[in-house]
Amino acid sequence: MLLFLKNALEPHVEPVYITGSDKCNECHRLKNNGDQYSVWKSSKHSEAYNVLLSDKAKNFASKIGINAPETDEKCLKCHSTEFSLKGTEKAKYYNITEGVGCESCHGAGSQYSPAEVMKDENAFLSSGGVKGDSRTCKPCHSDTANKELILKDNACPFQLNDFDYKVSMEKIKHPALRDNK
């Protein structure tokens, strides 16, 4: 009887998990919703993981003692959603090859993905949603270019240009669902 009362009084909390950009695509590919998925898919973010499979990345990694950049956390923290949200569970259908997906900027989507939540900014934010801004970019994009071409904590060895948030945001910005009700 006590166990029943304990369970009845304590609300069940669903775990937050990464759904993957393909799940986001179910609604965010629609033109009348702003087609945010196409903006992401045509960006370098969607190819971030594949960069780690390139000869350039493998050669660099080899020189600094990394056997496989596509499995090393030093590289994956900025080239995958999974490692940018380290410690967050992921859905079985999430695929690391999506690169830097929607949830890298907007938080793990399992709680905010229902349409009624997405259309209400307060509900979106209180359900774990994040409005992408310069703070979501800075962990992977350094203000200054890495001209030494060395692996640093705050700069990829291949970031050849200074990071300008305003210019970069113009390339990746997309309309919010609530803008297209």
Side-chain angles (χ1 to χ4, degrees):
M1 180 71 166
L2 288 177
L3 184 59
F4 171 77
L5 285 174
K6 179 182 182 291
N7 288 338
L9 295 173
E10 291 180 5
H12 175 71
V13 178
E14 290 291 323
V16 174
Y17 59 89
I18 300 167
T19 62
S21 295
D22 284 344
K23 184 76 173 159
C24 302
N25 180 39
E26 292 174 6
C27 296
H28 293 282
R29 74 177 183 279
L30 303 172
K31 299 273 185 237
N32 65 329
N33 282 344
D35 193 16
Q36 299 88 349
Y37 184 82
S38 292
V39 174
W40 167 76
K41 191 67 176 168
S42 64
S43 75
K44 291 182 179 182
H45 287 125
S46 72
E47 290 298 316
Y49 179 83
N50 293 332
V51 167
L52 301 177
L53 301 172
S54 71
D55 288 339
K56 182 178 179 179
K58 288 182 180 197
N59 290 337
F60 176 81
S62 165
K63 290 176 187 172
I64 63 167
I66 294 176
N67 293 329
E70 72 276 12
T71 61
D72 192 284
E73 190 173 336
K74 289 182 196 93
C75 302
L76 289 171
K77 70 180 184 178
C78 291
H79 286 263
S80 74
T81 302
E82 177 180 345
F83 282 81
S84 70
L85 297 176
K86 188 177 177 172
T88 305
E89 295 294 320
K90 55 191 180 295
K92 63 182 176 199
Y93 43 83
Y94 164 78
N95 189 330
I96 194 169
T97 63
E98 76 172 30
V100 177
C102 308
E103 293 162 292
S104 288
C105 300
H106 298 294
S110 63
Q111 299 290 319
Y112 67 75
S113 61
E116 63 274 5
V117 174
M118 293 295 288
K119 290 180 179 180
D120 180 327
E121 183 175 346
N122 289 329
F124 168 76
L125 295 171
S126 66
S127 297
V130 176
K131 292 170 70 173
D133 61 18
S134 64
R135 291 174 302 213
T136 57
C137 301
K138 296 295 178 148
C140 295
H141 297 282
S142 176
D143 287 334
T144 56
N146 189 344
K147 300 198 185 322
E148 302 89 26
L149 301 178
I150 57 173
L151 185 62
K152 298 178 182 178
D153 285 339
N154 65 344
C156 179
F158 304 114
Q159 182 185 326
L160 303 177
N161 299 310
D162 293 348
F163 180 70
D164 184 326
Y165 169 75
K166 288 181 181 178
V167 170
S168 296
M169 184 52 90
E170 286 301 312
K171 294 178 185 176
I172 195 66
K173 77 177 182 180
H174 45 273
L177 276 176
R178 66 185 170 284
D179 297 337
N180 301 297
K181 289 181 188 176

